[in-house]
Amino acid sequence: MKRNVLTIFLASPNDLQDERRIVRNTVERVNKVFSRKVGWHIELLGWEDTLPGGYRPQELINKDVDSCQLFLGILWRRWGQETGKYSSGFEEEFIRARERREKSGVPEIWLFFKAVDKDIAKDPGEQLKKVINFKKELIESKQFMFKEFNETETWGRDIYDYLLQYILELSTKETEQESQEELNLAGQARESISDTESKASEKIESYPAELISLFNKVNEKLSEGKPAELEESDRIRLYLQSSAWFSADHLGEVFGNHEINLVYTRRKEWELSNSEAWFLVRSFISDTSNNRPGWYWIKDRNDEAVEFVITWLATNDRNIDVRRGALSLLVDTGFNARRDLLEAGMNDSDKQVILRTIDLIRLSGNQDNFDLLDKVVDTDDSDIKQAAISAKVDIMFLNKPEDSFSYLVNSGAKITSLMKKTLDDMSLAVDSSLLFDALKKADSSVRRFSAQYVRKSKLLTRDKAYELLKDTDPGVRKEGLLQLIELDEDIDMGFIKKLFPEPKEKRQGLLGYAFMDVKAEEFIPILLRKRDPQQLLDQLDFYKLNDEEVYRILAEDHFSLIESRIRSDLDDAFESFKKDSGAHLREKYGDIEGIYQPEAIEYIRDTFIAAAMDGLAVNGQHEDIKYARKYLGNTKYNMADKGAINLLVRFGDSSDVERLIEAAIENYGNMQRKAVETAYNLSDKKDDLLNRLINHDDSFIAKIAIQILSRCESGKIIDFAKSLLQSKTDQRREQAVAILANQFNPEELESLLTDYISQGSYYYNVVTWFDRCLYSKGSYLSFYKSKLSGMINEN
């Protein structure tokens, strides 16, 4: 069936967030249930979908307005804010759509108004007045019809009906325009598919006696004019066989999550027809959400038969999701694909199928497949082009690294993951001249890689390092600067700040600075560590910029020089240090009152506390535990928590458990992990604490707790993991399956699956993962086990 797209632009001010969300959900629902059946797919656009760019914001949004086929406008109490040209974004969007419609007849324009309370309407305010005036203009002009709705719930029902009716009307028109030739071709394709399906499923003529008996029962009731009253199991079975027939002869449809799980609960009761089994296999292969079990239905096939089924589906099935799912399985399991499969995949009409096929070509490592990649290297699709070039680079790299690197440079491609890994063991095996050549003309990612490699290889001279400082990429400049510092060049922070300036505009700067991958401040410790420690100690000043880094270096690297001072400073929270530095400032500049606000003083103090705590974490003694308890969670932005947690790792006891849990909530990453694991290690009520942590609202804390659980004794693991199978969080349920699959043998695991389903209320992803662990085989089973292991062990 021909695939058509209806592009809808959704226009509204920001007081209709719930209604916008409902429109998006409705579009997803219509697409999921009907689009593949009627040949139309809805693409919804709105200001949320507009990519950032160097234009007036509204101009970017207007591009979507100018491309839509249906303009859907909603108004309530707000009109919106000025765009620089119009009184609101909504007005600008509506006028553009209206003018375009007057010229070309497109887009269709739908307008809706959400009812306003009468009390509010009496005193509307400026925003609502503009909405009311717009509504009056529509009435007077009689140019556009509009509709009103009272409640959000009503809106949900209405917009679903409107969109569904519109899609069906478009489908009807499209169907009427199909030529007889197209219909004949479609019929031939269906016959061809049917023949191939017959081979893949071996036989489709035989039907189980129970199924024949069921159809006879229904037929008898219908022939007598009686209603066919059926039990739920029989209704599901009829639905399954009918769906299998319909799919084979028409649209290539598959079961969704709910339907296939209903059938799965009867998997041991029913003997399936071949068409039913084939339909169910296609359905679970198409799954992208880990919610469709199905390996059970091919568990008795040998490895060769399973491979045949999946490779056939990857290139021949009419359903895009089935082809995508089959290809994903082949890629995930490192499948060495035949040439005919690769050719079919590269000729597919679906972008995702082509991208996954390129992944298979990359996995093949065979340069004989370069012609397939060359066909798409010049495509207009940048994703496909980049993937094809990267695949060629990786395949060449496995055979001739220098040719690979030259091709990478000359094609303007980005550095590949395979090549980037050579930074770990310095195994690139490429002549240095190629690396230096890349620094002059390659993509920024390749230049950055080359700069890192030549620096780590000790190939950067002083002059070449200075050349790198001229590069437009900050990562390249960083490598040149690091080399100059290593060569003891006279580099100061003023020079570094010119190399890596902060964003100029304050608003953009705060956001931009947070995401800068190279900052001038990261070089301060590098410079300071090259200086004499006594000089560092002599220069210490509470009010001097960056001296907290001086303090940290002394505390970590030269602890004996500053040991007594660290404890004294922490005892009075650096108050004496602050006073002494203030006295020096007054001697030099006179009255300094008012120069530093209390908030600034507090921030400076806490940076020094954090530096002192970092030193104690490395070099402190058991007596220093009091400082961890004093400052954990009690500095601005929790700056001292890193050192405090590390001290508690070394010297804490059970009294520190709760403060560590609080610290875990306030921190992230490695410090959050350390806080949770230390709390558990120190606790004298480990089971209670583990249960609490596993069910914590913070998903990362819960994941750390589950990792701890996986290392416990067997009995405890099983009890906890079973309880997690009913967790409301998908990830925790899957982690529970990972633990149980590692603890139980297949017979025990199958018994657990049966018990789980028999409870009546169960989660699809649990059943799906049990099905994979029990019934998949070979490379597929290895992949699933590896994926489950990652759910537990990945940070």
Side-chain angles (χ1 to χ4, degrees):
M1 176 177 288
K2 184 179 177 182
R3 205 70 162 159
N4 301 284
V5 177
L6 170 65
T7 306
I8 301 177
F9 182 83
L10 177 59
S12 76
N14 61 11
D15 61 335
L16 289 159
Q17 294 295 329
D18 288 342
E19 284 72 19
R20 293 182 73 89
R21 175 180 52 78
I22 286 172
V23 173
R24 289 188 176 277
N25 291 342
T26 300
V27 166
E28 289 178 7
R29 182 181 169 195
V30 171
N31 281 339
K32 181 178 179 181
V33 178
F34 292 99
S35 68
R36 287 177 290 177
K37 295 182 179 179
V38 300
W40 280 86
H41 176 85
I42 300 175
E43 181 179 357
L44 183 65
L45 302 174
W47 52 261
E48 301 97 330
D49 305 296
T50 304
L51 295 173
Y55 305 92
R56 184 173 65 98
Q58 188 61 44
E59 289 179 357
L60 296 171
I61 297 173
N62 288 344
K63 292 181 180 180
D64 288 338
V65 178
D66 294 342
S67 65
C68 74
Q69 297 155 276
L70 172 61
F71 179 90
L72 174 56
I74 324 171
L75 288 169
W76 187 22
R77 296 189 297 191
R78 290 189 56 78
W79 180 246
Q81 300 195 4
E82 294 184 6
T83 66
K85 291 186 178 181
Y86 292 86
S87 64
S88 74
F90 178 87
E91 181 186 34
E92 183 166 347
E93 292 154 9
F94 172 74
I95 289 175
R96 290 184 75 91
R98 184 185 66 191
E99 291 176 349
R100 183 167 150 245
R101 177 176 174 78
E102 290 171 351
K103 294 177 182 179
S104 65
V106 179
E108 191 78 21
I109 294 178
W110 293 359
L111 298 171
F112 296 88
F113 292 85
K114 184 177 180 179
V116 177
D117 292 341
K118 293 181 180 180
D119 293 339
I120 296 176
K122 290 178 182 178
D123 184 17
E126 291 301 316
Q127 286 284 315
L128 183 53
K129 282 181 182 178
K130 292 177 181 178
V131 175
I132 294 172
N133 290 336
F134 176 69
K135 191 174 180 181
K136 288 180 180 178
E137 290 174 7
L138 292 176
I139 295 173
E140 293 171 359
S141 69
K142 299 180 181 179
Q143 189 176 6
F144 297 101
M145 293 289 290
F146 62 85
K147 291 184 179 292
E148 296 183 344
F149 62 93
N150 293 320
E151 299 174 351
T152 302
E153 183 179 348
T154 305
W155 167 249
R157 292 195 300 267
D158 289 349
I159 194 61
Y160 177 80
D161 291 343
Y162 297 144
L163 288 178
L164 181 57
Q165 181 178 349
Y166 194 60
I167 281 288
L168 291 174
E169 289 175 357
L170 291 173
S171 173
T172 300
K173 292 178 183 178
E174 185 69 22
T175 302
E176 291 172 352
Q177 294 170 0
E178 283 187 334
S179 66
Q180 188 61 45
E181 180 182 356
E182 289 174 323
L183 290 174
N184 290 339
L185 287 173
Q188 293 172 16
R190 284 196 295 269
E191 290 175 8
S192 174
I193 292 290
S194 178
D195 290 340
T196 310
E197 285 181 0
S198 298
K199 295 174 185 177
S201 56
E202 296 178 2
K203 53 180 181 177
I204 60 173
E205 299 84 4
S206 175
Y207 294 96
E210 63 189 71
L211 187 60
I212 296 172
S213 175
L214 177 58
F215 274 97
N216 287 337
K217 174 183 175 182
V218 172
N219 184 50
E220 182 180 345
K221 291 285 186 180
L222 294 178
S223 63
E224 294 174 357
K226 298 178 181 179
E229 297 178 355
L230 300 170
E231 296 180 357
E232 181 187 29
S233 180
D234 289 339
R235 292 197 298 271
I236 295 170
R237 186 64 188 273
L238 288 173
Y239 184 45
L240 169 60
Q241 182 62 75
S242 300
S243 298
W245 283 332
F246 186 80
S247 174
D249 289 335
H250 291 80
L251 302 172
E253 279 294 304
V254 295
F255 262 171
N257 298 341
H258 180 64
E259 295 85 355
I260 198 169
N261 275 277
L262 280 176
V263 174
Y264 196 81
T265 61
R266 279 87 176 173
R267 67 194 183 283
K268 295 184 179 181
E269 303 169 17
W270 295 346
E271 178 189 353
L272 298 179
S273 67
N274 290 309
S275 55
E276 288 175 314
W278 180 248
F279 176 70
L280 291 169
V281 169
R282 293 178 55 251
S283 297
F284 96 79
I285 292 293
S286 70
D287 178 31
T288 58
S289 59
N290 295 324
N291 282 318
R292 295 181 196 170
W295 283 97
Y296 176 85
W297 291 302
I298 51 176
K299 63 183 176 66
D300 295 327
R301 294 190 180 217
N302 59 34
D303 291 350
E304 184 179 348
V306 171
E307 178 184 307
F308 175 80
V309 167
I310 294 176
T311 55
W312 188 92
L313 291 173
T315 55
N316 293 281
D317 202 274
R318 287 167 292 172
N319 188 302
I320 292 175
D321 290 333
V322 175
R323 299 201 302 277
R324 289 177 180 176
L327 279 166
S328 293
L329 272 175
L330 296 176
V331 171
D332 290 339
T333 54
F335 183 71
N336 187 12
R338 301 184 311 274
R339 172 78 182 195
D340 59 337
L341 187 153
L342 299 176
E343 288 177 346
M346 293 302 290
N347 289 321
D348 201 281
S349 60
D350 180 66
K351 174 180 176 178
Q352 294 305 316
V353 168
I354 295 173
L355 288 172
R356 297 308 265 167
T357 304
I358 291 174
D359 288 336
L360 281 177
I361 295 175
R362 185 198 307 268
L363 286 169
S364 75
N366 189 347
Q367 296 188 64
D368 292 341
N369 293 320
F370 276 2
D371 61 311
L372 298 177
L373 297 173
D374 289 336
K375 290 180 180 179
V376 295
V377 162
D378 295 323
T379 181
D380 292 333
D381 190 300
S382 60
D383 293 332
I384 293 176
K385 179 178 181 177
Q386 181 64 43
I389 292 174
S390 295
K392 286 191 69 173
V393 169
D394 281 350
I395 293 172
M396 292 169 68
F397 184 72
L398 296 173
N399 299 281
K400 297 180 179 179
E402 291 201 345
D403 290 352
S404 171
F405 195 79
S406 295
Y407 176 74
L408 176 71
V409 172
N410 294 326
S411 66
K414 299 182 183 300
I415 196 75
T416 68
S417 298
L418 179 63
M419 198 172 286
K420 194 172 184 180
K421 287 179 181 178
T422 61
L423 280 171
D424 297 331
D425 57 8
M426 303 302 291
S427 60
L428 183 62
V430 166
D431 189 87
S432 61
S433 61
L434 290 175
L435 293 167
F436 283 112
D437 186 50
L439 287 168
K440 299 175 183 177
K441 61 182 182 181
D443 173 84
S444 61
S445 69
V446 181
R447 298 201 311 277
R448 183 177 292 205
F449 167 83
S450 299
Q452 286 180 285
Y453 205 94
V454 293
R455 183 181 69 81
K456 288 186 174 184
S457 301
K458 308 295 183 183
L459 298 173
L460 267 183
T461 63
R462 175 183 176 278
D463 291 341
K464 289 184 182 296
Y466 272 111
E467 281 297 314
L468 295 188
L469 300 186
K470 302 174 184 178
D471 199 279
T472 56
D473 183 78
V476 177
R477 299 200 299 273
K478 175 181 178 178
E479 298 305 316
L481 180 59
L482 288 173
Q483 183 63 53
L484 290 172
I485 293 173
E486 191 173 319
L487 293 172
D488 294 323
E489 283 290 293
D490 186 15
I491 304 291
D492 60 27
M493 281 305 299
F495 179 77
I496 294 175
K497 287 183 177 180
K498 289 181 181 178
L499 280 178
F500 307 103
E502 296 182 15
K504 293 181 179 179
E505 296 184 25
K506 187 173 182 181
R507 176 168 180 160
Q508 292 181 354
L510 290 174
L511 181 61
Y513 187 71
F515 290 98
M516 285 174 63
D517 59 352
V518 182
K519 302 174 185 177
E521 283 75 6
E522 67 186 79
F523 296 93
I524 294 172
I526 300 173
L527 293 178
L528 291 175
R529 280 192 163 90
K530 296 179 74 68
R531 297 178 58 184
D532 180 81
Q534 188 60 52
Q535 289 181 336
L536 293 178
L537 183 60
D538 293 342
Q539 80 165 47
L540 269 180
D541 189 303
F542 184 87
Y543 293 101
K544 190 174 180 182
L545 187 65
N546 299 322
D547 264 22
E548 76 281 355
E549 286 297 335
V550 174
Y551 200 104
R552 176 176 284 103
I553 289 169
L554 288 168
E556 290 180 347
D557 300 350
H558 309 286
F559 186 72
S560 60
L561 189 64
I562 197 174
E563 179 177 358
S564 60
R565 177 170 180 170
I566 289 175
R567 295 188 177 100
S568 175
D569 286 337
L570 288 172
D571 284 336
D572 72 350
F574 284 81
E575 188 62 29
S576 298
F577 182 32
K578 184 188 75 173
K579 288 181 180 179
D580 290 344
S581 297
H584 293 315
L585 277 179
R586 280 189 290 273
E587 287 178 10
K588 192 172 183 178
Y589 300 109
D591 186 13
I592 61 170
E593 295 298 326
I595 294 178
Y596 294 96
Q597 296 296 320
E599 294 84 1
I601 297 292
E602 181 186 5
Y603 178 83
I604 295 170
R605 181 203 68 188
D606 287 354
T607 61
F608 277 103
I609 291 173
M613 293 300 298
D614 285 345
L616 286 182
V618 178
N619 303 297
Q621 304 298 319
H622 190 279
E623 64 189 60
D624 296 318
I625 191 67
K626 64 181 180 180
Y627 299 118
R629 292 165 179 165
K630 178 179 180 179
Y631 289 112
L632 184 63
N634 291 319
T635 53
K636 206 170 186 66
Y637 310 122
N638 298 306
M639 286 187 286
D641 282 12
K642 175 174 171 283
I645 291 170
N646 281 325
L647 259 178
L648 290 171
V649 170
R650 296 177 63 196
F651 305 119
D653 58 40
S654 60
S655 68
D656 298 308
V657 170
E658 289 305 319
R659 57 173 59 94
L660 281 164
I661 298 302
E662 289 299 318
I665 296 170
E666 296 299 323
N667 283 272
Y668 57 90
N670 188 49
M671 294 321 301
Q672 190 175 35
R673 175 178 298 281
K674 277 193 175 183
V676 172
E677 291 180 342
T678 305
Y680 178 79
N681 292 335
L682 296 176
S683 176
D684 51 13
K685 297 181 179 179
K686 285 182 167 53
D687 287 0
D688 292 342
L689 179 62
L690 194 58
N691 183 59
R692 176 178 154 201
L693 293 174
I694 285 173
N695 293 288
H696 203 282
D697 291 337
D698 187 309
S699 61
F700 190 65
I701 289 177
K703 182 172 183 176
I704 298 167
I706 289 173
Q707 291 173 349
I708 294 171
L709 171 64
S710 68
R711 300 192 292 266
C712 293
E713 62 269 17
S714 180
K716 183 186 296 186
I717 291 178
I718 292 171
D719 290 341
F720 269 109
K722 282 184 177 180
S723 67
L724 283 175
L725 294 178
Q726 295 296 341
S727 170
K728 294 181 179 179
T729 306
D730 288 352
Q731 184 185 47
R732 290 177 206 172
R733 294 194 300 271
E734 290 173 354
Q735 289 167 336
V737 173
I739 292 173
L740 292 167
N742 193 47
Q743 292 291 317
F744 287 167
N745 62 40
E747 292 76 18
E748 292 171 329
L749 203 61
E750 186 159 21
S751 176
L752 179 59
L753 171 59
T754 301
D755 292 343
Y756 183 74
I757 292 176
S758 66
Q759 296 174 7
S761 175
Y762 57 89
Y763 289 96
Y764 297 157
N765 67 330
V766 172
V767 176
T768 299
W769 276 106
F770 277 144
D771 172 77
R772 291 169 173 176
C773 292
L774 283 166
Y775 307 121
S776 66
K777 57 185 66 178
S779 59
Y780 303 104
L781 179 58
S782 298
F783 165 69
Y784 289 134
K785 285 187 174 181
S786 174
K787 195 169 182 180
L788 282 174
S789 177
M791 294 175 187
I792 298 293
N793 298 318
E794 288 179 358
N795 293 333

